[in-house]
Amino acid sequence: MRFPSALAFLGFVILVSMILFPGSAAFAQAQNVPPSNSEESWTAARQVSIDNTNPLRTTESHSSSGNRSVDKLKTEVLGPDGRYQAETESDTETIRVDPTTTRTIVRMYRWDANGSRNLVQLTEEEANTSASGDTHVVRTNSSTDVNGNLQLVQREIADTKKTGSDAQETKTKVYFSDGNGVFTPSRQTQELQRRTSDNGTEVEKTTLVPDTNGNWQLLEVTKKTIKEDGKKQTSDESVSRPDLEGRLSEVSRTVGEETETAPGERTSTIETYSVEASGVPVDGGLHLSQRLTTVQKNDSDKKTTEQKVEQPNVGNPNDGLQLNGKNKYTVKYAPAGTLQTKTIQVRSPNGTFTVFSADTQKSDQPPAVPAATPSSDNTK
């Protein structure tokens, strides 16, 4: 089996980017990180090439001063004239208003055919923390209408309360606008999290949505357990949904294990089971749909991560899993910053592997580990 197209494989690329490219995930969550009181700034340039799509490049920057930090991310695509043209840009501004309040504003821009930058989305968030550690977060999303005017379209309110020394509860409600300024509840969740006596964590999340009469009905229940035992960590997450008669049944399960196999080396395996595994007849039971194996090695001057993606053979599911994707991610450290490279390979119809995506990022951000003198052995 091979991934049939770039579009079909896009979701996998995004997943791998989140796992392998911490810079991207860090930026996406920048609004959750309070700004530091020190002066800090850095920039990073990234080049991405994906099969059957135009190459793109991104420029990311971070600056902080006092109680304010700003993160920017600009994306450019290769135009028909062979030059890069601006496509999107996001600005994330985080302000520590006082010791208990943090305000975050995210602005999303897009360039039009005339080369003008237009604001298309605005997200505003205010988080308040009480002396007891409870938090109250209000987040609003606004989008532009056909006339280019910003309209408030979504409001989200989340409250997290301590329910014990090792437990907390988070209740979230999401409201959507009808376009006339009236907000209607569209989803609510309750998440219970607690630490267990065996150094583990248990999480149970219940999601409700309104029915046609406006009454809340159960959409799904997610349960997750994480256990740590020395150099080994395991996780088990299941998702259950009600059938037409309201009876809960498990529709997916993800099992993970991560172990320190040698000094500076960790190996993890994540197996995903689903009632709708690709190529496997639907019979109401869970079937293994993907296995993701990751090996991460840390040296003094670099970090290397390699992944293998195994999935069922659509044509012959009884043959078991076959290798469909290979990925390699390397971060090299230097006193002036870091150089990150990532390649994603997919299986072709003849069984060989071709490069689907190539990604290079250079950053002057100080490395997370002290840079060492490069070894004279080039094969290292």
Side-chain angles (χ1 to χ4, degrees):
M1 175 219 173
R2 70 181 293 267
F3 293 95
S5 67
L7 181 61
F9 195 56
L10 184 57
F12 168 73
V13 173
I14 295 174
L15 171 64
V16 172
S17 297
M18 293 174 64
I19 296 173
L20 295 182
F21 228 117
S24 302
F27 180 83
Q29 300 174 10
Q31 60 268 33
N32 298 323
V33 181
S36 65
N37 291 322
S38 61
E39 302 283 343
E40 180 186 14
S41 64
W42 53 263
T43 60
R46 181 178 176 188
Q47 188 83 27
V48 182
S49 177
I50 300 178
D51 190 24
N52 296 325
T53 64
N54 279 342
L56 63 87
R57 66 184 183 188
T58 64
T59 304
E60 181 180 352
S61 66
H62 169 85
S63 63
S64 61
S65 178
N67 67 337
R68 179 177 178 269
S69 69
V70 178
D71 292 274
K72 296 185 177 183
L73 179 64
K74 184 177 182 179
T75 301
E76 299 172 289
V77 296
L78 194 63
D81 59 356
R83 294 185 297 179
Y84 279 93
Q85 302 172 350
E87 184 177 54
T88 61
E89 182 177 346
S90 65
D91 295 347
T92 302
E93 180 182 13
T94 307
I95 303 171
R96 173 72 78 173
V97 179
D98 54 48
T100 63
T101 306
T102 301
R103 184 175 298 132
T104 304
I105 302 173
V106 183
R107 302 175 179 88
M108 298 291 297
Y109 300 92
R110 182 176 293 275
W111 271 259
D112 59 25
N114 298 320
S116 299
R117 191 184 73 161
N118 302 294
L119 180 64
V120 295
Q121 186 172 324
L122 176 68
T123 301
E124 298 178 278
E125 175 184 296
E126 184 165 299
N128 295 277
T129 304
S130 67
S132 62
D134 297 343
T135 61
H136 176 72
V137 179
V138 178
R139 182 183 299 111
T140 59
N141 291 322
S142 300
S143 300
T144 52
D145 57 20
V146 293
N147 297 316
N149 300 315
L150 275 177
Q151 298 289 337
L152 190 61
V153 296
Q154 180 179 312
R155 179 183 291 118
E156 179 178 328
I157 301 174
D159 288 286
T160 300
K161 296 183 179 297
K162 300 288 185 180
T163 56
S165 58
D166 295 316
Q168 67 179 31
E169 177 188 55
T170 301
K171 291 184 177 181
T172 305
K173 282 190 176 182
V174 179
Y175 303 83
F176 278 113
S177 172
D178 64 357
N180 297 313
V182 177
F183 281 84
T184 304
S186 64
R187 186 176 72 252
Q188 67 177 17
T189 63
Q190 179 188 40
E191 181 175 292
L192 304 175
Q193 180 175 320
R194 72 179 187 91
R195 296 286 295 179
T196 59
S197 58
D198 56 352
N199 197 32
T201 302
E202 293 182 349
V203 181
E204 181 173 342
K205 183 177 180 180
T206 303
T207 302
L208 305 175
V209 294
D211 59 18
T212 54
N213 297 318
N215 300 316
W216 291 105
Q217 62 179 0
L218 181 63
L219 176 66
E220 67 179 28
V221 176
T222 301
K223 295 182 179 181
K224 184 174 184 178
T225 59
I226 301 174
K227 295 184 178 181
E228 298 180 11
D229 183 10
K231 298 180 180 180
K232 180 179 179 180
Q233 176 178 286
T234 59
S235 64
D236 191 337
E237 178 177 315
S238 66
V239 177
S240 299
R241 296 191 180 117
D243 57 19
L244 295 177
E245 298 179 356
R247 295 172 299 189
L248 276 178
S249 60
E250 195 174 29
V251 296
S252 68
R253 185 180 181 189
T254 303
V255 181
E257 179 177 302
E258 181 177 330
T259 307
E260 183 179 342
T261 50
E265 179 177 314
R266 299 189 69 84
T267 299
S268 67
T269 301
I270 300 176
E271 292 186 338
T272 303
Y273 299 80
S274 174
V275 293
E276 297 181 352
S278 178
V280 180
V282 178
D283 56 11
L286 294 176
H287 300 276
L288 182 59
S289 60
Q290 179 174 285
R291 179 185 294 127
L292 180 67
T293 304
T294 305
V295 178
Q296 185 179 91
K297 298 180 180 180
N298 288 293
D299 295 317
S300 59
D301 62 338
K302 66 179 179 180
K303 178 175 69 176
T304 303
T305 304
E306 295 186 359
Q307 284 189 324
K308 295 190 302 182
V309 182
E310 300 172 274
Q311 295 174 318
N313 185 331
V314 175
N316 299 287
N318 293 330
D319 292 347
L321 300 182
Q322 69 174 13
L323 184 62
N324 279 340
K326 297 190 294 184
N327 319 290
K328 186 173 183 180
Y329 172 53
T330 303
V331 181
K332 293 185 178 180
Y333 306 109
T338 60
L339 172 64
Q340 306 178 42
T341 58
K342 179 183 66 176
T343 57
I344 297 178
Q345 295 180 290
V346 297
R347 188 186 186 95
S348 63
N350 59 11
T352 61
F353 286 85
T354 59
V355 176
F356 175 84
S357 172
D359 197 329
T360 302
Q361 176 171 308
K362 294 181 180 180
S363 172
D364 61 5
Q365 182 181 14
V369 297
T373 303
S375 170
S376 59
D377 180 5
N378 295 329
T379 62
K380 182 176 178 180

